[in-house]
Amino acid sequence: MSETRAFGPAGPAEDATGPAGIVARPAPALPPRPRQEAAPGAGPAPVLAAETVWPGSPQPLGARFRTGPDGRPGTNFALWARGAESVELCLFDDDGTETRAPLTELTHEVWHGFVPGVLPGRRYGFRVGGRWDPWTGARWNPAKLLLDPYARAVDGDFAFAPETYGHVHDWPEREVADTVRDNRDSAAYVPKGVVVDDDDAWEDDRRPKTPWSDSVIYELHVRGFTKAHPEVPPELRGTYAGLAHPAAIGHLTRLGVTAVELLPVHHFAHEEHLQRRGMRNYWGYNSVGYFAPHAAYSASGTRGEQVGEFKRMVRALHAAGIEVILDVVYNHTAEGAQSGPTLSLRGIDNRGYYRLGQDPRGYTDYTGCGNTLNVVQPHVLRLITDSLRYWVTEMGVDGFRFDLASALARAMHDVDMLSPFLAVIAQDPVLRRVKLIAEPWDVGAGGYQVGAFPPLWAEWNDRFRDTVRDFWRGATGDVRDLGYRLSGSSDLYDWGGRRPYSSVNFVTAHDGFTLRDLVSYNTKHNEANGEDGRDGTDDNRSWNCGEEGPSDDPEVLALRRRQIRNLLSTLLLSTGVPMLVAGDEMGRTQGGNNNAYCQDGPVSWIDWSLLDDPGWRSVRDTAARLIALRRAHPVLRRGGFFSGLASVPEGLRDVAWFRPDGGEMAEQDWYASSATLGMYLSGRDIPQRDARGEPVVDESFLLIVHAHHGPVDFTLPGQPWARAYELMLDTGGEQEPAADPAPVAAGTRVAVAARSVRLYRAVRD
């Protein structure tokens, strides 16, 4: 028989049958509403008189500062809490004094009220009462202060303390600990919402609106990008204002990227196990507030000032022609499994917000993080889409990368490309116009969905990552898969009207090795994370160039830099949308740590002193040069897939593939052992028109990639492909890749250095 247990001050009607403060009794069919109790040793919080809480409005959700019916300013509060028996608004003064205001108006499952005199900057939260019956998924506990899911600013962090858990965290019977209610007040240990005055109309902002095919994405961490930047004032380093500083934006514009993809900036919490080890969640994939910019990244304050600072950052980036894409985590929250803290959604309506397991005490976990939001529920879909629209319309962002997007695309159980989430996004007049990028997998059965998301969506293409890594480390027997990746991955995306820019090509990302570590380590070195090597993938597809880790060998160092240039060249000259990771262009290293999610320090921060080294500065210049080439030549950033056919009868095929002997690749050549491939891109045969309807015409190029440890003689293709070739790029040198405008006759055998890339301009006339 199940029992309802509670820990904390016992009510007068409860018979204490165990140790002091612990109650155990048989659970009735309909348990009475739990008593709300103050924290042990504290007096009861003051309660506002009923006449000071006016009915207000159930719309919009959250806290909205406005003028009341009598002309006085105040704030309307509205909270969706289906199944709750009571909701109390809790207002906090600067000294922490809490005043409670019961919300008695209930409209369509929304509890609401208007409180005169509550001004911007005031902190608040909710206490929600209802049944405590974990065996059916009911986990209401009014002793726990809850963050408003619609809070537009958040003040304070989640600090690990037993009081923050809805259940008794240290209950001796661990297997049933989550069923014992904890009656202690959590207010002192949890973040609080902040009332914000949103009066910014964005008239002076101009969005870049960069076409997908012209985009070059740069993944960066707001804190880590400028935390060690010597030209950013110390008080701004690691903040939104720091990223908006001219020194930071100047690096982005010199490099030539068109968009920054920010690691999570939704307000997030640090997990208990990290706090116990004195560490923090650096990456931020642990969201607790979907409308609030993470407060710790604000230089101006956390009582709403972070909102304006974020907007000013977006404006500054837009003024430089750079779009802002957010990495968003709507698949799970920081509340974790049933053993996790009660911070927000769990205490508002656990059964409504999360996918419960077959045993409703726990959750269906498609994310590996303990819980999964139930996006099949209309109110959960509303929370997510309201959040997305807010960041577009009021915060100015230009797109989103969805972490573990397959978890959002699940219907009842299976991933369904007609799921409610994808259907809602497709018809939304705001969201369907911004950049949408899926991380097309989760950890559940059937979650790997690369190439399967519908039109409108781009995807992180891990097939590109794996193929390119394998090719340059010499782990591929032939060049079949490489041909697909260089030409836009048509095997994955050429369906349903999708374009090559559906493929976001990347070699590295925030999780995994940096580009420098990819060519410096064969195995991960995650000892600093304190998890005994259990964390981080073992499938790195890396090669250390002959020596593990740091080296003083000039030949090893030269080879590593060459390999970095090869990887950058392959990424930036391939069809699709390239994504760089901040610091890869200047040799950033994490010392072999391939899972630095908890490393908030020099391991993760950009080391700007690397640019003082001529060798790494040369690598940065290579990346900038490749991006400039891409920007100047539409044949390198095609908006349509190659057909292998001529666009006009007298034209050339739009793409052709060549062996080292100068002959075209036949079918059997794709299956033969080879580490060399030539790709001819015809600039006169691009099946595109410009904005005025004129044909797009460009130069033609020959790209040669050669991954063997020895040099190769490559015969430059003759007529009709070209009469001569001009060398634009050669990574085979020791320093900056060479260029030689002196034409080389077609049919000439040229010596291509071991492990190198060459790009030639074809002279056809």
Side-chain angles (χ1 to χ4, degrees):
M1 179 175 65
S2 65
E3 293 182 323
T4 298
R5 303 180 178 183
F7 176 79
E14 298 175 333
D15 297 325
T17 59
I22 300 174
V23 176
R25 64 182 187 277
L30 291 173
R33 173 184 166 189
R35 291 182 68 255
Q36 180 170 307
E37 301 175 78
V47 178
L48 288 178
E51 61 269 17
T52 64
V53 182
W54 298 344
S57 171
Q59 302 295 338
L61 294 174
R64 291 297 184 94
F65 173 70
R66 60 179 176 82
T67 302
D70 63 349
R72 285 191 295 162
T75 300
N76 191 83
F77 296 90
L79 178 73
W80 181 90
R82 182 185 64 187
E85 297 176 5
S86 66
V87 173
E88 284 187 308
L89 169 67
C90 305
L91 300 169
F92 291 87
D93 296 335
D94 289 343
D95 63 2
T97 299
E98 176 183 356
T99 301
R100 300 181 185 178
L103 299 182
T104 58
E105 298 292 328
L106 178 61
T107 305
H108 303 312
E109 301 176 333
V110 176
W111 301 75
H112 55 93
F114 179 87
V115 184
V118 173
L119 304 179
R122 189 74 178 272
R123 296 179 301 158
Y124 73 99
F126 295 105
R127 297 181 187 274
V128 180
R131 298 175 59 215
W132 176 264
D133 188 8
W135 297 273
T136 63
R139 292 184 177 273
W140 285 285
N141 186 341
K144 308 305 166 184
L145 185 75
L146 306 175
L147 184 66
D148 178 8
Y150 279 75
R152 298 192 171 194
V154 175
D155 178 65
D157 284 328
F158 160 61
F160 166 68
E163 290 85 349
T164 60
Y165 293 78
H167 63 280
V168 181
H169 182 263
D170 50 0
W171 187 256
E173 301 172 66
R174 301 304 301 163
E175 68 277 5
V176 295
D178 69 284
T179 69
V180 184
R181 193 184 68 206
D182 188 308
N183 289 341
R184 293 171 293 186
D185 192 348
S186 67
Y189 309 99
V190 296
K192 298 166 182 66
V194 180
V195 176
V196 174
D197 183 14
D198 293 323
D199 59 354
D200 196 331
W202 285 94
E203 285 92 352
D204 60 340
D205 182 63
R206 295 293 180 270
R207 295 177 185 265
K209 297 182 180 179
T210 307
W212 260 122
S213 57
D214 296 347
S215 295
V216 178
I217 298 173
Y218 189 78
E219 187 192 41
L220 68 80
H221 190 285
V222 168
R223 178 171 168 83
F225 191 65
T226 64
K227 188 61 181 174
H229 200 304
E231 298 177 30
V232 173
E235 66 275 14
L236 301 184
R237 293 174 187 169
T239 68
Y240 305 119
L243 182 54
H245 190 273
I249 292 180
H251 178 79
L252 300 174
T253 55
R254 283 190 295 272
L255 190 59
V257 298
T258 68
V260 290
E261 182 175 302
L262 305 182
L263 266 68
V265 296
H266 289 164
H267 194 86
F268 60 85
H270 305 286
E271 294 92 329
E272 174 196 339
H273 73 275
L274 292 178
Q275 295 189 46
R276 287 183 178 275
R277 299 204 301 267
M279 306 178 85
R280 299 167 65 82
N281 186 319
Y282 173 69
W283 287 349
Y285 291 87
N286 207 39
S287 299
V288 71
Y290 289 131
F291 290 77
H294 189 60
Y297 299 160
S298 173
S300 53
T302 61
R303 296 291 186 89
E305 297 90 349
Q306 61 265 53
V307 177
E309 185 176 329
F310 184 94
K311 291 180 178 181
R312 290 189 292 275
M313 176 198 73
V314 172
R315 276 194 179 91
L317 289 163
H318 282 177
I322 298 170
E323 294 186 308
V324 178
I325 298 170
L326 301 188
D327 195 335
V328 289
V329 188
Y330 294 111
N331 55 78
H332 75 281
T333 76
E335 292 183 304
Q338 65 264 33
S339 58
T342 295
L343 304 175
S344 183
L345 305 184
R346 177 177 285 137
I348 296 170
D349 185 0
N350 184 57
R351 295 180 293 190
Y353 276 110
Y354 293 116
R355 290 181 182 263
L356 302 186
Q358 290 185 339
D359 177 356
R361 278 175 54 191
Y363 302 104
T364 299
D365 182 10
Y366 294 121
T367 68
C369 299
N371 65 55
T372 306
L373 280 178
N374 191 359
V375 293
V376 176
Q377 294 284 356
H379 54 276
V380 179
L381 272 177
R382 179 183 177 185
L383 171 67
I384 294 172
T385 53
D386 283 353
S387 167
L388 292 168
R389 281 191 295 269
Y390 171 74
W391 286 97
V392 173
T393 61
E394 299 195 40
M395 301 297 273
V397 306
D398 305 286
F400 305 94
R401 178 265 189 189
F402 292 81
D403 181 66
L404 300 181
S406 292
L408 299 172
R410 290 183 181 271
M412 296 308 295
H413 300 288
D414 296 333
V415 177
D416 183 355
M417 293 306 160
L418 298 176
S419 67
F421 171 75
L422 294 177
V424 166
I425 295 293
Q427 60 79 41
D428 190 283
V430 172
L431 301 180
R432 70 188 182 201
R433 297 178 183 272
V434 302
K435 288 183 168 66
L436 303 171
I437 305 172
E439 182 183 37
W441 51 78
D442 63 19
V443 302
Y448 186 78
Q449 295 289 324
V450 171
F453 273 72
L456 292 182
W457 287 82
E459 302 174 15
W460 270 25
N461 185 354
D462 68 334
R463 290 276 298 277
F464 182 94
R465 176 199 65 195
D466 293 349
T467 298
V468 171
R469 287 187 179 192
D470 282 346
F471 177 76
W472 285 112
R473 71 188 178 108
T476 54
D478 55 51
V479 293
R480 279 179 296 162
D481 208 41
L482 182 67
Y484 278 119
R485 305 311 143 225
L486 292 174
S487 58
S489 295
S490 60
D491 57 330
L492 299 175
Y493 301 110
D494 189 7
W495 63 272
R498 302 185 80 183
R499 299 293 190 94
Y501 48 72
S502 298
S503 175
V504 175
N505 299 333
F506 66 104
V507 177
T508 59
H510 63 274
D511 52 346
F513 282 149
T514 67
L515 201 57
R516 180 176 174 180
D517 289 352
L518 189 68
V519 300
S520 303
Y521 295 90
N522 284 348
T523 59
K524 66 186 180 185
H525 296 266
N526 296 0
E527 295 80 8
N529 296 352
E531 300 182 26
D532 299 323
R534 297 185 303 273
D535 66 307
T537 183
D538 293 314
D539 183 21
N540 295 295
R541 300 174 189 246
S542 59
W543 177 52
N544 64 15
C545 296
E547 185 175 345
E548 187 74 358
S551 174
D552 295 324
D553 187 327
E555 292 186 3
V556 170
L557 295 177
L559 177 56
R560 287 176 176 176
R561 283 181 177 157
R562 181 185 297 186
Q563 287 287 77
I564 288 174
R565 290 191 181 97
N566 291 336
L567 291 161
L568 286 172
S569 299
T570 307
L571 173 65
L572 292 167
L573 297 175
S574 293
T575 303
V577 178
M579 184 186 78
L580 291 165
V581 176
D584 273 356
E585 75 279 11
M586 63 179 87
R588 184 176 78 90
T589 177
Q590 294 178 169
N593 192 324
N594 73 352
N595 190 38
Y597 79 103
C598 56
Q599 296 296 325
D600 186 3
V603 168
S604 296
W605 301 342
I606 302 297
D607 179 5
W608 293 94
S609 69
L610 289 166
L611 290 177
D612 296 333
D613 181 331
W616 292 121
R617 192 164 60 247
S618 171
V619 172
R620 188 274 314 270
D621 293 343
T622 299
R625 184 175 163 197
L626 286 162
I627 293 172
L629 266 172
R630 183 182 182 91
R631 182 171 59 249
H633 294 287
V635 74
L636 299 177
R637 46 183 173 82
R638 289 170 54 103
F641 286 106
F642 294 99
S643 66
L645 303 173
S647 58
V648 294
E650 66 276 13
L652 297 177
R653 295 194 299 278
D654 56 4
V655 65
W657 305 92
F658 291 92
R659 301 185 304 267
D661 64 4
E664 288 192 62
M665 295 278 287
E667 182 177 359
Q668 65 269 21
D669 296 322
W670 291 103
Y671 294 86
S673 177
S674 178
T676 310
L677 182 63
M679 180 185 185
Y680 183 95
L681 302 115
S682 176
R684 297 185 185 180
D685 298 272
I686 303 174
Q688 295 173 231
R689 295 187 296 166
D690 63 19
R692 297 185 177 184
E694 297 296 326
V696 174
V697 179
D698 192 16
E699 307 278 5
S700 297
F701 292 92
L702 175 67
L703 175 67
I704 301 171
V705 291
H706 174 59
H708 194 265
H709 59 77
V712 66
D713 287 338
F714 197 101
T715 300
L716 301 177
Q719 294 286 8
W721 308 105
R723 65 174 179 82
Y725 295 86
E726 294 176 358
L727 182 64
M728 304 290 290
L729 179 86
D730 180 4
T731 66
E734 295 300 320
Q735 295 296 324
E736 174 71 8
D740 185 355
V744 179
T748 300
R749 294 176 63 188
V750 295
V752 178
R755 299 190 177 98
S756 67
V757 174
R758 283 196 176 193
L759 181 69
Y760 286 93
R761 185 179 75 87
V763 180
R764 295 174 63 176
D765 296 327

